[in-house]
Amino acid sequence: MEQVSDDELDHGAEEDSDKEDQDLDKMFGAWLGELDKLTQSLDDGRPQKALQKPPLRQETNMANFSYRFSMYNINEALNQGETVDLDALMADLCSIEQELSTISRPNSTSRGQSKGQQRAPGRSASTKHTGTGGGGSSNSRPAASNISLDDITSQLEKASLSMDEAARQTSSSSSSTGSMGGVSEQEAPSQRSSVNSACASASSMDSLDIDKVMTASEEEQAAKLKAEKIRVALEKIKEAQVKKLVIRVHMSDESSKTMMVDERQSVRQVLDSLLDKSHCGYSPDWSLVETISELQMERIFEDHENLVENLLNWTRDSHNKLMFTERIEKYALFKNPQNYLLGRKETSEMADRNKEALLEECFCGVSVSVPEIEGVLWLKEDGKKSWKKRYFLLRASGIYYVPKGKAKASRDLVCFLQLDHVNVYYGQDYRSKYKAPTDYCLALKHPQIQKKSQYIKYLCCDDVRTLHQWVNGIRIAKYGKQLYGNYQEAMKRTEAAYDWSSLSTSSIRSGSSSVSIPESQSNHSGHSDSGVDTGSHGRSQSVVSSIFSEAWKRGTQIEENTKVLRSPSLSLRLNLKT
Amino acid sequence: MAAWDLSITVEDLGPDAEPITISVTSDLHVGGVMARLVEKTQITRDWSDRALWWEQKQQWLLRTSWTLEKYGIHADARLLFTPQHKPLKLGLPNGITLKLLASFSSPVFSSVIGICKMLNIRRPEELSLLRPVEEKKKKKKDKDLTEEIYDLTEVPLTSGSRPCLYNGMPAHFADSPKMEAIYKMLSVTQPPPAPEVLAKQYRPSSVVDKAHINGRWLDSSRCLMQQGIQENDRLWLRFKYYTFYDIEPKYDVVRLTQLYEQARWAILLEDIDCTEEEMMLFGALQYHISKVSLSEPQMQISSPAMEDLELALQCLEVKMEGKSSSASELLENITAPELNDYLKIFRPKKLTLTPYKQYWFKFQDMVISSFKSKEESSGEPIQQINLKGCEVAPDVSLASQKFIIKLRIPAPEGMNEVHLRCENEQQYAQWMAACRLASKGKTLADSSFQSEIQSIHTFLAMQKTNSGTNSSAAAGDESINAYSLVSPRYHKKNKAKQLTPLILDACRNVAELSLTDAMLRFVQMWQALPDFGLSYVVVRFKGSRKDEVLGIAPNRLIRIDLGVGDVVQTWRYNNMKQWNVNWDIRQMAIEFEGNINIAFSCVTADCKIVHEFIGGYIFMSTRSREKSDTLNEDLFRKLTGGHEVH
């Protein structure tokens, strides 16, 4: 994806020179496709090259870090010719550069090279690879983090090269748009897995150098300068050994945003910067949602999680999506704790005072008390599309079930899963995919598993309430106090934002969507409907989320909304409206 | 006013001494009575702790300014002049018995505060005293032999708010080596009990059994004398309210240790139910705690940073001695130590004819690389396994010399299963330890690597002793019987040989914990059990014809059907409006929000005990809001006192 990102950066440059955005997008897409083709052909063509001899097996893709993140997403962004905020991306990069320049080391020879002559970067990058990361092929493999960093940087460099070229031949490229769409298909799986990443990028550099010698005729200085700057910034990133990832975030209104994240950034930090940029109002419900399309499941990232770490679990050709949307499920647990913590069947109202006491009781003790959730769930049998009923119980130590013919005494329970290694996902439309008895499914899997596997466990609940109780119960068992801390932090932000923006008309306007009751409803169905490109699971999600809001609306939903309404300006707005 | 004779027994004169008779008038105040009495004995000594006890009324005459008339004392009153503090044999949660001076004249609540102050236990309101379960009288000989009582009666009674500390312990413990030994006993966990001892102990088998213990709590608003407790009687000190507020390991050494001990025994004696997985983790923690408490010097908090440094230094030394290498290589080597060896590998998924194949393996930075042979190890590896996030399980049998590490490695397609077979114990311990660390995202350079290896070794030793070869002497004191770590139920279910690997497996998550952290973890796991904090009482609900069980938890009351054992109803204190006790018919009535009223009489415990539990928990819940360190005794008394106080 780094290739693409840099393409985009260069777009920024060319926007300056008054070119058509869309054409350029296509053009760079084309370049990207051709680059990949080149890479492929080079790899195919030079099997004798010792450097390219890949390891026989790769137990995990961890060593191939950068490939795990979906190129698809970024490519798609290009294909759709969306207006990507290139300047913002550029600004990101520049700030990184500034940040890093303070710690830059003087012995960076390759950087000097790249500054000195404009055609050299590809070569300098390749030599650098053999120097630092490339050591992996000659003796022992280097640490995973090294590789990934080199990969990312080299790909970015590669991409910036292609931009240079694109700048040179603006006319010729527009014709080859068609090849772009096939990028992901072109990368045959076998090739993808066997490519020793460092070598691949190195060899493609070589080819580019040749290519460039042949085609270079005219250059656009502005674009080059910008590309140069990026390159310098990238060098520094490499030096600082900080992983950066260019990600594509799908917004609730069909658009998408491309941005850069730091490997150290938490989901909360990314959310904050998204909120700052998108002026969509501050509600604690804004979430980053991971959608795994192949498995038809999704998960709201917890605020404390590390985003890059999670995204690196994606495979290179993954169609997974990262969505930036409002989800009331995210913190519904804290707004109406009685629905989740008391383990009773009926929805109940509760005074705010008691809610607070309940939360305090649950989350502020020496240990967190996991809600006592138990009941009959459907379990999908391994490898079959049949579902079996079992009596499950949630405990702090994991999920258990009652074996046949036994009472539910603790000592007889059979451990179904321990929660250390798995995450909990909402299943989407499993009724048609797996013949699930209802639409209310959850799945438990190791975050690294991305394809169908016997190691993914599927559970199906009778109603939406049970589903949410289980999912939230598992979250509490897994994250404990952290979850409450996340919520408090999110609320703090929200309140601070409202205080600060109480005079600004724009924020009042944008805040309205999350505040007024009818609008928030429509907003929710709105964003899920908008996910047209998500296909079938988009539909099921809207079903679940509308049912959810229906079920929760009774009595308790109102409190939920009014609770956000602490700032006077907002309540004023509501009054005006009603 | 007419004078009359009042005879008073002075305990200090001996049991056979005649009562002393003094001439008094009804308007003489109690202080005057005592002054005359002391004068009459003609003994000069410190009488300061003495007070008058009125036997018929079971009452202390502590208000020295009250006159005899006001107390209603006449010539027929049998009065005893006796010390207010008397020795008591106190059984602690860790099973040790102490002898100490406790107040027999103040409410038990205050007596407990005094005891806790002496023992350096903070938050005394969480503890209380109860009458012990009578031991069976069959083994009189054993009892006399084994019982060791630690004497603390020499400790002066302090009135200060908090004792000052020397070397981390209260000053009175620093006086002599003997006292220091007692403090060590209080603040260091006891070794795991012998399996025979464990098997012999009484274990409640039903909720009703569990309910009986709660009938034994003393009334905290009355004094020991009033409750028939005599000098040198035996009582238990236990945590009664299961809300442990503000545990601060720095100050709470004794408190945490005793809490851990109480939790441990609750688990071992099946006082609280748990699943097999949980039991194994409890076992692993106990094992770890007993091991660390032996090695870790008292009061010293381990600092991982120092260990890291030491390890790095050691590593540096080794490298310096070895071949001369460039500085950068040296640095690399410090950060990335590695393991190299021939191992056999097997993938259970594939139906290969040669199940285990030998390769040269290199373990570095959470990655296992394999090569055809040692000679080729400088080249490109045949395969690589990244262990970060993988699951590691042992498959070990000493008898058949089988040392297999089972790995499940997550990948986009699912989990890949790989078995690594080691040749011997030594090799296994190292590679297993490395795999465990790597699965948690730690490298071999991590400070816990050596301790991980050590714990694997000792567990293998456990398996040796358990396999019945009677070589326990050789194994030394490091070996612990797995039967000491889990409740007797699992003795029947599993042989020790099977139990050890289960515990070992559970150990993977705890091996690097410090002593304090491990104890805290144990307590937290205990608290996380669904039935935690429930004190049971058999009750009869108003209008019901059968006995039911009331479970009193820190935040709620639950009603349990005795027949099925299921929770029928839950009431939370948060919703409680008021509760009343009808002392005449011994019935409790509670009103909850939403016009819910319940009433019941208590069968296995006095209703004062139930009343005190509820009031006590409500008191406990007020603590966090007040944010002050001083204990609000009045509030506690108001909430728990009952009719005498109002």
Side-chain angles (χ1 to χ4, degrees), chain A residues 241-338:
Chain A
Q241 300 275 299
V242 173
K243 243 181 278 167
K244 298 272 178 180
L245 213 61
V246 176
I247 59 166
R248 185 181 177 210
V249 185
H250 294 256
M251 319 298 278
S252 39
D253 62 349
E254 259 186 280
S255 70
S256 71
K257 221 183 191 76
T258 308
M259 67 183 292
M260 194 159 209
V261 286
D262 187 314
E263 65 169 340
R264 298 162 300 189
Q265 275 183 306
S266 69
V267 169
R268 183 72 250 165
Q269 287 169 317
V270 177
L271 276 173
D272 284 346
S273 79
L274 276 167
L275 285 168
D276 281 342
K277 283 176 192 164
S278 58
H279 308 292
C280 50
Y282 288 80
S283 141
D285 294 334
W286 283 103
S287 320
L288 282 174
V289 181
E290 172 194 37
T291 313
I292 304 174
S293 41
E294 188 165 346
L295 297 168
Q296 285 182 213
M297 53 174 78
E298 64 164 40
R299 179 169 85 94
I300 301 172
F301 284 136
E302 305 296 347
D303 285 354
H304 67 276
E305 284 184 275
N306 179 297
L307 186 64
V308 170
E309 212 169 82
N310 273 297
L311 295 182
L312 286 178
N313 287 327
W314 294 10
T315 54
R316 194 193 180 200
D317 56 336
S318 165
H319 288 216
N320 292 359
K321 274 199 175 109
L322 185 65
M323 300 202 294
F324 176 64
T325 71
E326 271 182 290
R327 286 294 168 88
I328 40 172
E329 303 98 291
K330 188 180 186 184
Y331 288 127
L333 155 67
F334 299 105
K335 291 169 191 162
N336 284 300
Q338 74 279 11

Side-chain angles (χ1 to χ4, degrees), chain B residues 171-187:
Chain B
H172 51 262
F173 285 114
D175 285 349
S176 66
K178 194 184 125 211
M179 293 298 278
E180 267 188 54
I182 295 177
Y183 189 70
K184 194 169 175 218
M185 179 278 302
L186 289 171
S187 56

Side-chain angles (χ1 to χ4, degrees), chain B residues 356 390-398 402-408 417-422 428-429 431-433 435-436 439 452 455-457 459-460 463 497-509:
Chain B
Y356 278 94
C390 75
E391 290 169 24
V392 187
D395 180 10
V396 178
S397 161
L398 278 175
K402 179 176 75 171
F403 301 99
I404 295 173
I405 304 167
K406 287 184 172 175
L407 301 169
R408 285 168 97 195
E417 298 208 17
V418 174
H419 294 183
L420 288 179
R421 182 166 196 149
C422 302
Y428 168 78
W431 284 78
M432 187 64 172
C435 288
R436 289 223 168 118
S439 77
E452 189 76 55
S455 88
I456 293 167
H457 271 305
F459 258 98
L460 292 173
Q463 210 179 20
K497 219 161 61 175
Q498 300 163 317
L499 216 49
T500 310
L502 286 175
I503 297 176
L504 173 65
D505 189 30
C507 236
R508 66 175 183 263
N509 289 322

Side-chain angles (χ1 to χ4, degrees), chain A residues 56 59 141 361 397 450-451, chain B residues 278 382 384 412 555 572:
Chain A
L56 207 72
E59 287 300 343
R141 268 192 96 77
E361 193 182 292
S397 59
Q450 299 286 319
K451 305 205 159 75
Chain B
E278 287 157 355
I382 297 167
Q384 287 195 313
N555 55 6
R572 305 178 61 79

Side-chain angles (χ1 to χ4, degrees), chain A residues 4 43 60 85 115 148 197 298 415 459 471 492 564:
Chain A
V4 186
D43 284 330
T60 70
D85 193 357
K115 259 188 177 167
S148 68
S197 53
E298 64 164 40
C415 187
L459 293 171
V471 170
K492 229 187 275 167
V564 191

Side-chain angles (χ1 to χ4, degrees), chain B residues 113-174:
Chain B
I113 292 174
I115 292 168
C116 287
K117 197 190 284 169
M118 189 184 288
L119 304 182
N120 197 23
I121 298 175
R122 295 197 314 146
R123 305 283 164 194
E125 66 273 20
E126 289 162 6
L127 295 96
S128 193
L129 298 172
L130 71 166
R131 295 169 215 267
V133 176
E134 292 85 12
E135 286 170 60
K136 289 164 194 161
K137 287 169 187 168
K138 292 173 197 168
K139 310 147 205 158
K140 260 187 189 166
K141 288 173 197 166
D142 293 352
K143 210 167 120 189
D144 296 338
L145 286 173
T146 51
E147 179 88 303
E148 187 185 354
I149 294 177
Y150 294 84
D151 195 355
L152 277 178
T153 48
E154 307 290 304
V155 175
L157 302 164
T158 53
S159 53
S161 58
R162 186 173 286 179
C164 47
L165 301 183
Y166 289 102
N167 295 329
M169 54 184 148
H172 51 262
F173 285 114

Side-chain angles (χ1 to χ4, degrees), chain A residues 225-462:
Chain A
L225 272 173
K226 213 159 196 178
E228 194 54 44
K229 269 191 197 165
I230 294 167
R231 220 167 277 137
V232 172
L234 291 172
E235 294 281 355
K236 287 180 180 168
I237 296 176
K238 187 192 272 178
E239 280 166 22
Q241 300 275 299
V242 173
K243 243 181 278 167
K244 298 272 178 180
L245 213 61
V246 176
I247 59 166
R248 185 181 177 210
V249 185
H250 294 256
M251 319 298 278
S252 39
D253 62 349
E254 259 186 280
S255 70
S256 71
K257 221 183 191 76
T258 308
M259 67 183 292
M260 194 159 209
V261 286
D262 187 314
E263 65 169 340
R264 298 162 300 189
Q265 275 183 306
S266 69
V267 169
R268 183 72 250 165
Q269 287 169 317
V270 177
L271 276 173
D272 284 346
S273 79
L274 276 167
L275 285 168
D276 281 342
K277 283 176 192 164
S278 58
H279 308 292
C280 50
Y282 288 80
S283 141
D285 294 334
W286 283 103
S287 320
L288 282 174
V289 181
E290 172 194 37
T291 313
I292 304 174
S293 41
E294 188 165 346
L295 297 168
Q296 285 182 213
M297 53 174 78
E298 64 164 40
R299 179 169 85 94
I300 301 172
F301 284 136
E302 305 296 347
D303 285 354
H304 67 276
E305 284 184 275
N306 179 297
L307 186 64
V308 170
E309 212 169 82
N310 273 297
L311 295 182
L312 286 178
N313 287 327
W314 294 10
T315 54
R316 194 193 180 200
D317 56 336
S318 165
H319 288 216
N320 292 359
K321 274 199 175 109
L322 185 65
M323 300 202 294
F324 176 64
T325 71
E326 271 182 290
R327 286 294 168 88
I328 40 172
E329 303 98 291
K330 188 180 186 184
Y331 288 127
L333 155 67
F334 299 105
K335 291 169 191 162
N336 284 300
Q338 74 279 11
N339 289 336
Y340 301 92
L341 302 179
L342 299 181
R344 263 185 263 131
K345 286 271 181 277
E346 73 277 12
T347 312
S348 56
E349 284 188 55
M350 195 182 243
D352 278 353
R353 173 181 58 88
N354 286 342
K355 284 182 190 176
E356 265 164 46
L358 184 60
L359 287 174
E360 198 171 296
E361 193 182 292
C362 179
F363 290 99
C364 300
V366 179
S367 74
V368 169
S369 51
V370 174
E372 292 177 31
I373 301 173
E374 55 178 74
V376 175
L377 297 180
W378 301 87
L379 168 67
K380 185 170 130 31
E381 289 182 84
D382 283 345
K384 290 181 206 161
K385 285 191 177 175
S386 58
W387 297 73
K388 250 190 195 166
K389 268 190 179 187
R390 273 196 189 286
Y391 196 90
F392 284 93
L393 299 97
L394 179 67
R395 296 170 75 99
S397 59
I399 301 175
Y400 293 78
Y401 64 85
V402 181
K404 269 183 189 146
K406 295 264 189 176
K408 59 171 193 181
S410 300
R411 54 180 174 272
D412 294 325
L413 296 180
V414 177
C415 187
F416 172 64
L417 257 184
Q418 288 180 324
L419 300 170
D420 309 333
H421 296 291
V422 299
N423 284 335
V424 60
Y425 297 77
Y426 284 104
Q428 294 170 330
D429 201 19
Y430 283 174
R431 220 209 270 258
S432 56
K433 189 176 168 88
Y434 296 123
K435 293 198 169 128
T438 75
D439 266 331
Y440 318 115
C441 296
L442 62 104
L444 292 147
K445 71 165 186 71
H446 194 288
Q448 280 186 30
I449 300 178
Q450 299 286 319
K451 305 205 159 75
K452 263 191 199 176
S453 157
Q454 55 166 322
Y455 297 98
I456 305 177
K457 302 291 176 201
Y458 303 94
L459 293 171
C460 181
C461 314
D462 280 334

